[in-house]
Amino acid sequence: MMDTSDFKVARDFLNFMVDYYALIRRHEIETNEYRANSHGFSMLYALRKYQNQPITMTRFADEMGITKQQLTKLVNDLEDKEYVIRTHNRENRRQVYISITEQGMAYLETMIGELIHEVLRVMQYFSQEEKEKVGQSVVTLSEIFRKDAEFCRQEREKN
């Protein structure tokens, strides 16, 4: 049986996601090839943690929650721009690794800087109390989302 407070939290969270998405859409930076809510940006951002250790395409597709075909299309596009590189396992040529290039990192850091600048621009209208609430909330949400990501990773490894 579902608790009514759980339903309220789920409804409030959905409202937050819609409001957040609208905020991102209102403040998109027109100079970027990839938007903050695009798979290309998400992929580059996620690849940062594999900067020194390439990850297989299969595992990364699972982590991104997309199909291998979708990932291949994204990698093709990012590889054309020299933001990522694909390498084959020497023992098993069917196993393909991807990693972010220095050019990809530089591009990503530029995008991150632009996005942070835009967030700071939006936050200038917040009171100090609102800024503190936002800060506490995003830390809490990030912790919860990481738990979910870990749970999903463990579930994938079981199967």
Side-chain angles (χ1 to χ4, degrees), residues 49 62-63 142-156:
K49 71 179 174 183
D62 284 345
E63 282 191 18
S142 290
E143 290 169 357
I144 292 167
F145 293 165
R146 284 189 196 105
K147 285 181 184 178
D148 177 68
E150 180 62 22
F151 173 78
C152 289
R153 184 190 63 76
Q154 289 173 356
E155 288 296 306
R156 279 193 307 270

Side-chain angles (χ1 to χ4, degrees), residues 17-156:
M17 289 185 345
V18 171
D19 290 344
Y20 172 75
Y21 182 74
L23 178 111
I24 291 295
R25 301 285 300 169
R26 283 192 306 271
H27 296 280
E28 282 187 320
I29 300 167
E30 295 301 322
T31 59
N32 290 328
E33 294 173 70
Y34 299 104
R35 303 287 180 226
N37 59 349
S38 72
H39 282 302
F41 175 77
S42 297
M43 183 176 159
L44 289 174
Y45 200 88
L47 278 173
R48 286 183 331 159
K49 71 179 174 183
Y50 299 106
Q51 205 173 350
N52 299 319
Q53 56 182 23
I55 183 170
T56 66
M57 294 268 293
T58 301
R59 181 168 171 217
F60 196 67
D62 284 345
E63 282 191 18
M64 293 290 295
I66 60 177
T67 66
K68 291 181 228 173
Q69 293 81 4
Q70 289 172 310
L71 180 61
T72 297
K73 187 174 188 256
L74 278 169
V75 169
N76 289 343
D77 182 49
L78 293 168
E79 197 173 39
D80 287 346
K81 292 174 174 59
E82 299 181 355
Y83 294 159
V84 300
I85 189 167
R86 228 183 303 226
T87 55
H88 292 270
N89 183 319
R90 290 184 182 147
E91 288 83 35
N92 180 356
R93 297 273 308 152
R94 292 182 306 160
Q95 198 169 43
V96 180
Y97 293 90
I98 54 171
S99 56
I100 191 167
T101 63
E102 285 184 27
Q103 186 173 335
M105 277 301 295
Y107 175 74
L108 180 63
E109 290 303 321
T110 298
M111 273 191 79
I112 289 170
E114 290 173 357
L115 291 166
I116 288 173
H117 176 76
E118 187 62 19
V119 169
L120 290 171
R121 192 179 74 70
V122 170
M123 286 178 52
Q124 73 183 342
Y125 304 108
F126 295 179
S127 69
Q128 188 59 37
E129 182 181 350
E130 289 169 328
K131 290 176 187 177
E132 289 171 10
K133 284 181 180 179
V134 168
Q136 292 167 354
S137 298
V138 296
V139 167
T140 301
L141 285 170
S142 290
E143 290 169 357
I144 292 167
F145 293 165
R146 284 189 196 105
K147 285 181 184 178
D148 177 68
E150 180 62 22
F151 173 78
C152 289
R153 184 190 63 76
Q154 289 173 356
E155 288 296 306
R156 279 193 307 270

